[in-house]
Amino acid sequence: MSLKDPPYLIQDKDHGMSDQIKFLLDESQMPKAWYNINADMPVPMLPPLHPETKQPVTPKYLNTFTPTALLDQDMSQERYIEIPDPVRDIYKLWRPTPFLRARRLELTLQTPAHIYYKYEGASPVGSHKPNTAVAQAFYAKEEGIKTLTTETGAGQWGTALAMACNMFGLGCKVYMVRISYQQKPYRRYVIETYGAEVYASPSDRTEVGRRFLAEDPEHPGSLGVAVSEGIEAAQKSGGTKKYCLGSFLPHVLLHQTIIGEETLRQLEMAGEYPDIVIGCAGGGSNFAGFAFPFIRENLKHDKNTRIVAVEPAACPTLTKGSFTWDWADAGGVAPICQMYTLGHSFMPATIHAGGLRYHGMAPHVSALVNGGYIEATAIDQVDTFEAGVTFAQVEGILPAPESNHAIRAAINEAVICRESGEKKVIAFNLSGHGHFDMTAYADYHAGKLERYEFPTEAIAKALQSVPEVSFPG
């Protein structure tokens, strides 16, 4: 059955629509700690390197742009890190988030599979991003920091940090990828409503931004460029500003694990356990937040869940990139990390799933993919929007373009179950809603979205720019 066919429902005795759909936790059941995968990593993690000396970075260097408490979390080996009460109090505005069974999607696909999804679009800003934004703003406030700088792609992270900074009385400067700044003005207006300042990146406010504009005055921007600008702005502030990243770093992944921890409790309510766990992957935060607790269960409690990361065919970091050392940004300002990368000079196509346009992948996610603990797949944007529209029509939620990747992968697995007759349990993270992404949906409905797979030769060229590293010697 083509997903372009009108959705239809078939009632049968095995899919009674009266069965429970929502599995909700109350505030008292919210997890009190984040899960730190450092305690259980089955593969060794090498430290990030200084961007110039290419030797392991020191806390003193990292502290020039990162709050101390977050650095401590990055290096901690404690399995669980307590969530501070002020953070939990703000979480209660939207957490715990809903966990639902997609019964109408199951019926539409005529699959015996059970499909569940965690809905992070229930947050005030419509995505999973506040889970770490609130935590980072809290720790910054505790250290007496006055202003936070950051990058944002599709605008979800910038919106979340702007909200969090406002709640803790902090200033916020957001460098927004230029193509998203132009395509998604309403996300920018929300950021400004929360009191933050937003700049199209590359901008003329930093040396690295001016360098990229000199090379191309119409530069579309990338997350890597925006990261460079955010770090430079913090480093040159004389200590008044610190930089906060919305993905990639260990503490970001840590804060997001509240998603997976809640999901495990909600699955118990449903009386099921997943055969397959799926999340979209750009920098790794929503994927890790959903999947890491299930990886713990695989490693420590003899579970055998398949863990699947889904990325765009136009930015295939995990599926076509190289597991090597590279700068975490485009300007060579950030540390060098061992990760899957397309090369820091990689400039992704102007696809609409803006949050999935990063050249690298979180080192922890990268190491687990390289070690065989996570599967990776890439899907074309046309196929993802087709899935998102089907999901909206049958389940009622309009997904973010990023989340459409996870939905498509879940649908593909459910169709395989239909063909094989297997009754598998599939769980995916719906990381946000698509209410600010209507231009992308309009282009899809008008047939303007093109199938695009980033050329292999272009990736090979970008990978030539990765640094030569002799560590460990």
Side-chain angles (χ1 to χ4, degrees), residues 80-284:
Y80 298 100
I81 294 177
E82 183 178 358
I83 303 173
D85 286 341
V87 174
R88 280 175 52 82
D89 287 343
I90 294 177
Y91 276 179
K92 289 176 183 177
L93 293 175
W94 72 95
R95 303 214 73 87
T97 54
F99 183 68
L100 301 95
R101 182 168 170 189
R103 283 188 172 274
R104 295 174 65 85
L105 181 61
E106 294 170 13
L107 290 166
T108 298
L109 299 173
Q110 302 177 62
T111 179
H114 290 187
I115 306 173
Y116 293 88
Y117 64 97
K118 181 70 164 166
Y119 186 45
E120 289 296 297
S123 79
V125 302
S127 78
H128 65 292
K129 292 295 187 179
N131 298 330
T132 186
V134 171
Q136 293 192 54
F138 165 76
Y139 290 117
K141 181 72 172 182
E142 288 283 285
E143 292 183 25
I145 296 164
K146 303 299 182 183
T147 301
L148 293 178
T149 68
T150 196
E151 85 300 327
T152 194
Q156 293 169 337
W157 166 243
T159 305
L161 190 64
M163 180 193 79
C165 284
N166 181 266
M167 288 180 168
F168 286 106
L170 301 174
C172 185
K173 314 285 187 182
V174 180
Y175 292 86
M176 187 174 188
V177 173
R178 181 174 297 275
I179 189 67
S180 292
Y181 186 94
Q182 296 167 347
Q183 290 178 343
K184 302 181 180 183
Y186 294 106
R187 188 85 72 181
R188 169 163 43 101
Y189 302 153
V190 176
I191 295 173
E192 292 171 340
T193 298
Y194 284 125
E197 297 179 24
V198 191
Y199 316 112
S201 174
S203 75
D204 62 0
R205 298 178 60 85
T206 67
E207 290 184 14
V208 69
R210 290 189 290 271
R211 188 174 83 222
F212 280 104
L213 287 175
E215 295 172 359
D216 179 6
E218 301 300 320
H219 198 297
S222 73
L223 278 173
V225 173
V227 168
S228 296
E229 292 205 89
I231 291 177
E232 180 185 322
Q235 285 182 320
K236 294 185 177 181
S237 69
T240 63
K241 301 182 180 74
K242 295 289 184 178
Y243 169 74
C244 284
L245 189 63
S247 192
F248 188 80
L249 295 174
H251 62 261
V252 180
L253 278 53
L254 168 78
H255 302 154
Q256 293 294 353
T257 58
I258 192 171
I259 303 173
E261 294 292 357
E262 286 182 2
T263 303
L264 282 166
R265 300 179 188 196
Q266 289 163 314
L267 280 161
E268 287 183 13
M269 296 171 64
E272 304 233 56
Y273 196 84
D275 298 291
I276 308 169
V277 161
I278 298 169
C280 64

